Amino acid sequence: AQLKGLSDPVKMVREAARWGMRQTLLDDKGWDYLYALYATGDDRARETIAGSLIMRADAVMNRSNAGFQRLGELFDRMMNQDPHPAVRAWSTRAAWNWWVWNPPVRDAINNAVMTTLEREEP
């Protein structure tokens, strides 16, 4: 139900699902579902996923299952390849928090940011 809510046409439902997804990820659960949904989800789902990644959390100390390489690749796709401008905007905001709190993902985010800065925004 939570994953379905990420693409719901009603904004209030999407916001509740975003909050719930963030809490689930903070509990270090649901990462595989998040990656899978991003690959197949519609614009609303991908935008809500990007927003759910806005968190201040140290995923290094607790040895998170987020998968820093996978997360870095996801940020690059979201920031540079996603056709929806809201996904690009929210993911850029989320990447900042991940860069500050999680050093293993910094190089991937640095590369994604440089790619973003070097291309024109459609």
Side-chain angles (χ1 to χ4, degrees):
Q2 186 178 42
L3 293 172
K4 186 178 176 188
L6 294 173
S7 63
D8 196 273
V10 176
K11 184 177 181 183
M12 186 184 323
V13 174
R14 287 194 313 274
E15 290 297 317
R18 178 192 322 240
W19 182 88
M21 179 54 71
R22 183 179 298 127
Q23 300 310 306
T24 302
L25 296 175
L26 286 169
D27 285 342
D28 204 28
K29 297 177 182 153
W31 288 103
D32 290 332
Y33 295 108
L34 181 96
Y35 292 122
L37 182 59
Y38 180 81
T40 61
D42 62 12
D43 288 349
R44 288 184 187 129
R46 294 190 323 275
E47 176 187 350
T48 309
I49 287 169
S52 70
L53 290 172
I54 299 174
M55 58 179 81
R56 295 180 184 150
D58 179 349
V60 177
M61 295 282 289
N62 68 355
R63 298 186 179 136
S64 172
N65 292 315
F68 292 118
Q69 181 176 348
R70 239 181 4 168
L71 187 60
E73 292 167 0
L74 178 66
F75 275 124
D76 183 52
R77 275 194 310 275
M78 292 167 92
M79 293 168 64
N80 295 304
Q81 298 167 17
D82 200 285
H84 196 288
V87 175
R88 296 191 302 273
W90 284 116
S91 63
T92 301
R93 172 63 182 86
W96 180 83
N97 279 352
W98 280 91
W99 188 94
V100 168
W101 290 95
N102 297 283
V105 78
R106 286 183 182 164
D107 286 341
I109 290 175
N110 286 344
N111 292 334
V113 168
M114 291 308 296
T115 300
T116 299
L117 292 174
E118 292 172 350
R119 71 170 175 78
E120 285 192 39
E121 176 67 22

